[in-house]
Amino acid sequence: MSIEIDQDACMGCEACVETCPDVFELNADGKAQVKDPDSDADCVDEAIDSCPAEAISRS
């Protein structure tokens, strides 16, 4: 399953980066982006749950 971030919904709060820095980072616009879209790191689900904008999903 691929990890995706809705760039329109992302607030750039960095919750996902703090929770799972090996998978997420901020881009030049200050919004989250996925470093490894196919990651199965344990922290991904926690990052999805911690996103206040509900911008992270798996497809």
Side-chain angles (χ1 to χ4, degrees):
M1 295 185 87
S2 181
I3 304 163
E4 297 179 1
I5 298 178
D6 180 342
Q7 292 295 303
D8 292 329
C10 178
M11 305 178 333
C13 72
E14 294 187 67
C16 60
V17 176
E18 292 173 9
T19 303
C20 203
D22 291 336
V23 179
F24 301 98
E25 64 187 356
L26 292 186
N27 62 22
D29 294 328
K31 301 221 176 181
Q33 68 182 20
V34 181
K35 292 183 196 180
D36 180 5
D38 297 317
S39 177
D40 62 353
D42 293 336
C43 59
V44 172
D45 288 332
E46 186 178 346
I48 291 170
D49 292 340
S50 70
C51 180
E54 298 181 355
I56 308 169
S57 62
R58 290 186 191 245
S59 61

